[in-house]
C-alpha cells in the first residue's frame, strides 16, 4: 500500500482519476486497508490534499460498501475501524483539520447508522469518556461526532427500534450533555468567571463553537419526543427573561462580532438561529409545554428586538432573519397565540417592521442577479415552507403574510399590505428609472398576500379571494412582460415572468397561450436570469394538468415548437466549455418538455434537432458536471425517438446512425455517469425492432453485455437488465443458437441473485428467459436456475427474497407457454430433491401470497388457479395435503376483486406525462437514473386471462367432472369456503 498517497492524489486529476480509482478499488479489498487509510488521514506530515482525499475515500467506502455483499469488507477490518474512528475524530481537533474532521465525522455517522448499537455498543461510552471540562478543542470533536450520529433521528419514522437506540443514548449521554451545556452557557454569558477558558478571544470562540453544536444536539434530542431531563428543565431553558434560550437571543458579545463584509454567519448568529429552530419545533410538537409560561410571547419580543426594522441587514445574518420569520409564521399558524397577533396594530407593525423591510431588494441581491445568476435563480425558486437553509429573507417574509392570510386575518392583512402595494406602485410611476425597486417590492408583496396554498410542482393552488390576481397582472405586470428588452429594468421583467410562473394555474388556457409568444421572445434576451426564467416558466406551463390530463397538446405548440427548441439549443450551444454548456439544466429541461409536448409535430427537420443534441452530448461528455442536465438531454433524445419513430417507423435507422458512434465511444471510455442512460436508450431502440429482426450492430453490443466487468458499476445494473431482457425478447432464438442464454444466466447466478441489492433484477432476467426461450433450449437450463435460487435462499435469506421467490414460483405456474405446464415445473423441483415442492409451498408460498402487493395479485390468482386445477401432482401425496390451504389463500385474494381487474387498457402513452424531476435528488453514483421517455409498458404474463374469477370457475368445472367427490371434499376443507 506504499503507493496509496500517490493514488489518492491521482484520483483528484481528471486525466488520471479513472485508473487511480480502479487501483484504489482493488487495494480496498486487502486486509487492513481501512485502518491504513485512516492512519494516512491522521498523519500530519502527509500532503494535506492526500489527507483530505483519503478522508473522502474513507467516507465513500463506509457509504457504499459497508454492507456490500459482492465485494464485502472483512468483519475484522470493520471492527478495527470502529475502534479507531472516535479517537481519530479527537486527533483531528486542530482548526486546520476542520474539513478532514467533517469527512471523518460523516464516516462515523454512516457506520453508526448501520452498526450502532448492535455491533458498536461502546460508541457512546467512548464519546462520554472523551468529554472534558477544560479542553474545548476535544469537546468540539466529540460534539461534532455525536451530532453526526444523532441528527439522523430527525428524518426517521417513529419505531420501537428507533426509541430503543434513543433511550440508550439518553441513558449515557444526557447527563454529561446537560452539564456541558450549563457550563458552556455560563462561561459564554459570564466570561470573567473563568478567564483561563474564556481568554484570549480564540478560546472564547471555541466555547461559542461548542455551543452551536450543543444547541444542534438539543434539537436532535427533542425531534422525536420530549426526554424527561429536558422536560424537567424547561424553565431553565425557556423561562421568560431568565432561560438560557431567552438570554442568548439578546446576547451579542463584541469578541464574536464578525467582519461586516463576511457572508458567513457568525457563531453568535448560528447559536440564535439554532435556538429559534428549537422554539419552532416546540410550537409544532410540544405546544402544551410552551404554554406553561409566557415563553413564546417573550421569544416573539426577543425576535422583534432582533430583526424588527431591519436591524440585521447583512448577508451573514440571512439564515437568522429567515429563521426568525419562520418562527413567527409558525406561531401564527399554530392558533395558540391569537391574542398576540390578532389586533390590527400588531398586524400593521408586523408588515411595516418585519415584512416590508425584508421583501425589499438589497444591493447584495442585485449584485447576485448580475454576477451569479444561477445562484440567484436557485435561491429564488426555493420554498420557505420547507424550512430549509435555502429560504431567502424575501420568502420568509412572504411566509409571514401567508400565515396571516391563512389564519383568519385575511381581511386585515390584505388591506394593510394593499396600502403598501399602492404606495410602491405610485412611487414607481413618479420616476420609473429611479424607483423600480418600489415596484419590485409591490409585485412581491402582492404575490405573497394573494397566495393561500402552493407547491413547487404546481405553483399556487389556492388564492386569497380578496385579491384579483388576473386584474393586477393586466394592470401592472403585463406591461413589463411585453416591454422590449432594455426599456425596463431586467429585474422587473423577471418579476413579470415569475408572476406567470407563480400564478400559472389561475390563468385560463387561452390566456396562457397568449403569453407563450412573449415568453418565447424572452428566450432571446441578453440577460441570463430573464431567459432562464422564461425557460422555467414555459416548462411549467406545458406541464399543467387538469383532471389528470395535460392541458397542452401537440396541436397547441404546433407552430412554435421548432422555434422554441432552436432558441433553447442556441443558448446552450453558445457556451464555450463542457462545464458551461451543462451549467443551465433549466434550458435543457425546457427542451425536453417541448419535445414531449410537441411529439410528432417535430418530425419535419427532426434530423437537425437530433444532430444538435448529439453534438451537445459530445461536448459535455468530456467532463460530466451536472447530473440534472445529463438526465434532461438523454430524456430529450429518448423522447424525440419515441414520438418520431411512433409516427414514422422508417426514421429509426436515422436515430441508430446518429447515436451508435457516440454511444460506443462513451461505453469504450467508460464514462460511468452516462453508461446507465446509454443502456436504456439502446434497449429502447432495440425494442422498436420486430422479434427476430435484430441488426448485426446490436449483436456486438450483446457480447460486451455478457462480460462480468460490464456489471461492476451498480448504477448500470437496471439499464443492463432492461437491455438484456430486450435482447432475450427480440433475439432469443439467435442467442440460444449462439450459446448466449447460458452466458446471460451466468450473470444472474454470479452477480445478481447472490446480491441483496440486485436479486430482483436477477428474477426479471430469469422470467424473461422462461417467457421467451423455446422449450427445447429452456428445459436443460431450469434445474441449474432453480438450484441457484435455492442456494441463495439457504445462504442469505431476506424477507424481500422470500417474496421474489414466491412470486417467481407462481409466475412459472401462470405463464402460458407451449410445452411448459405446472407439472413440468414440479418435476424439475422434485428432480432436485423429492418432496421439495411441498416444502416450498408450505414454507414460502402459503405465508408470502397474502402479503403480495396489489400489482402482483392477478399473477398470484392465475398461478394458484393453474397449480390447483391443472397439476395432476397436486391431487397426489404429499402435495394434496396443501391443496385446501392454497385454495383458502386463493379465496382471500378473491375477497378484494378490485385488485384483479385488467388495467392494461388504462395504460397509455401517458407515461411521459410523469416526467418531472424537481423533487428528485439527482446525483452521480445514484442507485439508478431512470429514463422515463425510454420506458415501455411491461408485458403482462397473464394478459390471456381477462376475468380471473371466470377463469377459475372454468378450470374448476373441468376438474370437477374428473374428480367430483375428491375436489368437493378438498374445497369443503378450505377455511375460505367455496369461491363464488
Amino acid at each position: 500500500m506504499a503507493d496509496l498517497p500517490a493514488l489518492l492524489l491521482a484520483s483528484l486529476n481528471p486525466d488520471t482519476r479513472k485508473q487511480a480509482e480502479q487501483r484504489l478499488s482493488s487495494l480496498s479489498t486487502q486486509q487492513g486497508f481501512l485502518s491504513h487509510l485512516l492512519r494516512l488521514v491522521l498523519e500530519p506530515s502527509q500532503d494535506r490534499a492526500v489527507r483530505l482525499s483519503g478522508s473522502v475515500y474513507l467516507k465513500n467506502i463506509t457509504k457504499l460498501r459497508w454492507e456490500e455483499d459482492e465485494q464485502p469488507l472483512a468483519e475484522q477490518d470493520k471492527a478495527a475501524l470502529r475502534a479507531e474512528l472516535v479517537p481519530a475524530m479527537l486527533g483531528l481537533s486542530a482548526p486546520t483539520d476542520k474539513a478532514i474532521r467533517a469527512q471523518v465525522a460523516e464516516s462515523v455517522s454512516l457506520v453508526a447508522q448501520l452498526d450502532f448499537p448492535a455491533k458498536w455498543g461502546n460508541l457512546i461510552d467512548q464519546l462520554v469518556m472523551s468529554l472534558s471540562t477544560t479542553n474545548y478543542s476535544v469537546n468540539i470533536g466529540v460534539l461534532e461526532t455525536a451530532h453526526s450520529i444523532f441528527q439522523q433521528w430527525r428524518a426517521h419514522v417513529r419505531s420501537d427500534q428507533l426509541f430503543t437506540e434513543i433511550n440508550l443514548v439518553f441513558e449515557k449521554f444526557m447527563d454529561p450533555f446537560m452539564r456541558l451545556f450549563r457550563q458552556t452557557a455560563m462561561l459564554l454569558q459570564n466570561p470573567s468567571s473563568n478567564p483561563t477558558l474564556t481568554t484570549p478571544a480564540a478560546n472564547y470562540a471555541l466555547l461559542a463553537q461548542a455551543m452551536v453544536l450543543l444547541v444542534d444536539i438539543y434539537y436532535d434530542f427533542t425531534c422525536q419526543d420530549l426526554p424527561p431531563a429536558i422536560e424537567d428543565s424547561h424553565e431553565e431553558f425557556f423561562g421568560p427573561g431568565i432561560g438560557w434560550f431567552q438570554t442568548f437571543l439578546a446576547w451579542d458579545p463584541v469578541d464574536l462580532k464578525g467582519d461586516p463584509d463576511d457572508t458567513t454567519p457568525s457563531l453568535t448568529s448560528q447559536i440564535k438561529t439554532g435556538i429559534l429552530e428549537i422554539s419552532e419545533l416546540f410550537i409544532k410538537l410540544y405546544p402544551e409545554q410552551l404554554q406553561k409560561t409566557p415563553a413564546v410571547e417573550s421569544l416573539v419580543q426577543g425576535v422583534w428586538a432582533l430583526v424588527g426594522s431591519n436591524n440585521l441587514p447583512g448577508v451573514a445574518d440571512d439564515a437568522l432573519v429567515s429563521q426568525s420569520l419562520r418562527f413567527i409564521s409558525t406561531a401564527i399558524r399554530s392558533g395558540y397565540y391569537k391574542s398576540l397577533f390578532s389586533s390590527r396594530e400588531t398586524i400593521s407593525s408586523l408588515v411595516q417592521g418585519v415584512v416590508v423591510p425584508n421583501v425589499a431588494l438589497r444591493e447584495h441581491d442585485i449584485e447576485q442577479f448580475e454576477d451569479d445568476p444561477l445562484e440567484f435563480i436557485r435561491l429564488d425558486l426555493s420554498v420557505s415552507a420547507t424550512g430549509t437553509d435555502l429560504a431567502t429573507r424575501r420568502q420568509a417574509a412572504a411566509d409571514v403574510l401567508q400565515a396571516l392570510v391563512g389564519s383568519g386575518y385575511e381581511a386585515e392583512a390584505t388591506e394593510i399590505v394593499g396600502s403598501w402595494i399602492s404606495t410602491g406602485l405610485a412611487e414607481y410611476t413618479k420616476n420609473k428609472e429611479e424607483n423600480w425597486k418600489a415596484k419590485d417590492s409591490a409585485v412581491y408583496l402582492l404575490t405573497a398576500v394573494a397566495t393561500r396554498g402552493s407547491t413547487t410542482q404546481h405553483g399556487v393552488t389556492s388564492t386569497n379571494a380578496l385579491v384579483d390576481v388576473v386584474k393586477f397582472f393586466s394592470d401592472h405586470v403585463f406591461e413589463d412582460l411585453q416591454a422590449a428588452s432594455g426599456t425596463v429594468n431586467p429585474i422587473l421583467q423577471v418579476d413579470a415572468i415569475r408572476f406567470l410562473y407563480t400564478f400559472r394555474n389561475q390563468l385560463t388556457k387561452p390566456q396562457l397561450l397568449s403569453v407563450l409568444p412573449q415568453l418565447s421572445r424572452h428566450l432571446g434576451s441578453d440577460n441570463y436570469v430573464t431567459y432562464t426564467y422564461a425557460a422555467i416558466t414555459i416548462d411549467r406551463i406545458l406541464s399543467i394538468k387538469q383532471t389528470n390530463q395535460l392541458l397542452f397538446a401537440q396541436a397547441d405548440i404546433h407552430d412554435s415548437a421548432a422555434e422554441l427548441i432552436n432558441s433553447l439549443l442556441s443558448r446552450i450551444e453558445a457556451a464555450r466549455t463542457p462545464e458551461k454548456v451543462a451549467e443551465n439544466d433549466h434550458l435543457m429541461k425546457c427542451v425536453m418538455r417541448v419535445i414531449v409536448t410537441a411529439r410528432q409535430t417535430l418530425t419535419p427537420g427532426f434530423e437537425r434537432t437530433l444532430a444538435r443534441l448529439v453534438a451537445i452530448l459530445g461536448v459535455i461528455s468530456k467532463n460530466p458536471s451536472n447530473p440534472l442536465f445529463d438526465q434532461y438531454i438523454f430524456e430529450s433524445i429518448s423522447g424525440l425517438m419515441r414520438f418520431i419513430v411512433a409516427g414514422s417507423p422508417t426514421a429509426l435507422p436515422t436515430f441508430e446512425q446518429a447515436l451508435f458512434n457516440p454511444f460506443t465511444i462513451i461505453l469504450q471510455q467508460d464514462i460511468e455517469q452516462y453508461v446507465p442512460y446509454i443502456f436504456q436508450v439502446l434497449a429502447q431502440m432495440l425494442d422498436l425492432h420486430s422479434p427476430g429482426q435484430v441488426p448485426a450492430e446490436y449483436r456486438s453490443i450483446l457480447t460486451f453485455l455478457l462480460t462480468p466487468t460490464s456489471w461492476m458499476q451498480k448504477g448500470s445494473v437496471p439499464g443492463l437488465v432492461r437491455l438484456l431482457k430486450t435482447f432475450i425478447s427480440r433475439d432469443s432464438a439467435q442467442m440460444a443458437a449462439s450459446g448466449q442464454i447460458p452466458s446471460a444466466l451466468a450473470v444472474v447466478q454470479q452477480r445478481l441473485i447472490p446480491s441483496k441489492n440486485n436479486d430482483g433484477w436477477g428474477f426479471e432476467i430469469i422470467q424473461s428467459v422462461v417467457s421467451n426461450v423455446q422449450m427445447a433450449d429452456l428445459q436443460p437450463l431450469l434445474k441449474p436456475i432453480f438450484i441457484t435460487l435455492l442456494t441463495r435462499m439457504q445462504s442469505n435469506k431476506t424477507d424481500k427474497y422470500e417474496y421474489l421467490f414466491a412470486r417467481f414460483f407462481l409466475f412459472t405456474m401462470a405463464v402460458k407457454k407451449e410445452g411448459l405446464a405446472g407439472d413440468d415445473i414440479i418435476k424439475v423441483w422434485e428432480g432436485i430433491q423429492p418432496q421439495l415442492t411441498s416444502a416450498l409451498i408450505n414454507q414460502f408460498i402459503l405465508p408470502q401470497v397474502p402479503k403480495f402487493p396489489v400489482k402482483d395479485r392477478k399473477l398470484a390468482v392465475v398461478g394458484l388457479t393453474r397449480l390447483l386445477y391443472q397439476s395432476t401432482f397436486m391431487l397426489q401425496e404429499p402435495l394434496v395435503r396443501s391443496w385446501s390451504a392454497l385454495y383458502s389463500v386463493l379465496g382471500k385474494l378473491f375477497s378484494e376483486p378490485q385488485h384483479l381487474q385488467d388495467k392494461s387498457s388504462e395504460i397509455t402513452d401517458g407515461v411521459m406525462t410523469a416526467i418531472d424531476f424537481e423533487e428528485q435528488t439527482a446525483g452521480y453514483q445514484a442507485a439508478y437514473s431512470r429514463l422515463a421517455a425510454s420506458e415501455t409498458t411491461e408485458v403482462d404474463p397473464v394478459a390471456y386471462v381477462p376475468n380471473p374469477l371466470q377463469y377459475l370457475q372454468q378450470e374448476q368445472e373441468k376438474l370437477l367432472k374428473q374428480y367430483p367427490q375428491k375436489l368437493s371434499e378438498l374445497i369443503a376443507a378450505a377455511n375460505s369456503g367455496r369461491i363464488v
Side-chain angles (χ1 to χ4, degrees), residues 93-402:
S93 56
T96 52
D97 289 333
K98 185 177 180 181
I100 298 171
R101 188 171 69 233
Q103 297 297 328
V104 177
E106 195 168 345
S107 296
V108 175
S109 170
L110 290 163
V111 175
Q113 195 170 358
L114 297 169
D115 288 0
F116 173 75
K119 295 181 180 177
W120 203 356
N122 68 337
L123 171 59
I124 305 302
D125 296 315
Q126 281 184 289
L127 295 173
V128 170
M129 287 168 57
S130 304
L131 287 170
S132 167
T133 56
T134 56
N135 189 337
Y136 269 81
S137 291
V138 168
N139 285 342
I140 286 168
V142 173
L143 294 172
E144 278 186 353
T145 308
H147 176 49
S148 72
I149 299 164
F150 307 152
Q151 70 178 342
Q152 298 166 26
W153 301 341
R154 300 185 184 195
H156 282 192
V157 176
R158 295 167 72 93
S159 67
D160 291 344
Q161 184 182 349
L162 174 65
F163 278 96
T164 299
E165 178 183 322
I166 289 175
N167 290 331
L168 177 67
V169 170
F170 286 171
E171 182 185 326
K172 298 181 177 184
F173 201 85
M174 181 62 80
D175 288 345
F177 164 76
M178 295 293 271
R179 284 196 297 272
L180 187 62
F181 193 110
R182 290 173 181 128
Q183 173 184 304
T184 309
M186 186 70 72
L187 289 168
L188 284 169
Q189 298 200 3
N190 186 12
S192 59
S193 63
N194 191 336
T196 309
L197 291 179
T198 57
T199 56
N203 280 354
Y204 193 60
L206 281 179
L207 292 170
Q209 198 175 333
M211 181 52 73
V212 170
L213 291 161
L214 287 162
V215 168
D216 283 338
I217 291 172
Y218 191 101
Y219 188 111
D220 299 337
F221 281 179
T222 54
C223 68
Q224 289 286 347
D225 208 347
L226 200 56
I230 288 180
E231 186 175 1
D232 295 343
S233 60
H234 179 77
E235 188 83 14
E236 178 187 354
F237 285 84
F238 281 96
I242 56 166
W244 291 121
F245 292 161
Q246 303 274 355
T247 52
F248 269 117
L249 278 186
W251 172 74
D252 194 19
V254 176
D255 287 350
L256 295 179
K257 284 189 182 293
D259 185 331
D261 297 327
D262 192 356
T263 58
T264 306
S266 67
L267 292 169
T268 313
S269 183
Q270 291 177 52
I271 292 168
K272 293 178 182 182
T273 303
I275 288 169
L276 289 169
E277 286 174 351
I278 292 167
S279 304
E280 183 186 5
L281 178 77
F282 268 63
I283 290 176
K284 290 177 177 176
L285 298 187
Y286 318 113
E288 68 291 338
Q289 188 74 13
L290 287 178
Q291 289 170 61
K292 292 178 180 177
T293 64
V296 170
E297 290 83 346
S298 181
L299 283 165
V300 168
Q301 289 173 1
V303 167
W304 194 273
L306 198 62
V307 303
S309 304
N310 208 18
N311 288 338
L312 296 172
V315 176
D317 290 313
D318 280 2
L320 173 56
V321 173
S322 296
Q323 180 55 48
S324 299
L325 299 180
R326 275 200 296 277
F327 167 73
I328 290 175
S329 299
T330 302
I332 294 169
R333 285 193 175 97
S334 73
Y336 295 117
Y337 307 101
K338 288 186 181 292
S339 59
L340 199 58
F341 299 107
S342 59
S343 76
R344 183 183 173 84
E345 293 76 20
T346 303
I347 294 172
S348 182
S349 299
L350 261 180
V351 172
Q352 181 176 347
V354 175
V355 175
V356 172
N358 285 297
V359 159
L361 277 178
R362 296 169 298 168
E363 203 56 45
H364 167 77
D365 301 318
I366 297 167
E367 288 173 5
Q368 192 177 59
F369 180 91
E370 295 167 351
D371 301 335
D372 194 358
L374 266 182
E375 181 65 6
F376 178 92
I377 293 163
R378 185 179 72 91
L379 291 172
D380 199 45
L381 289 174
S382 66
V383 182
S384 65
T386 61
T388 64
D389 294 336
L390 292 180
T392 63
R393 288 175 181 244
R394 300 190 101 188
Q395 291 156 343
D399 198 40
V400 172
L401 273 186
Q402 287 157 15

Side-chain angles (χ1 to χ4, degrees), residues 672-704:
E672 62 187 33
Q673 297 91 335
Y674 294 172
V675 168
Y677 295 119
I678 301 295
F679 290 141
Q680 291 173 81
V681 178
L682 285 171
Q684 180 186 3
M685 287 196 292
L686 179 57
D687 207 36
L688 292 168
H689 286 279
S690 302
Q693 297 181 11
V694 175
E697 297 89 342
Y698 287 94
R699 293 202 172 112
S700 62
I701 297 170
L702 180 58
T703 308
F704 166 77

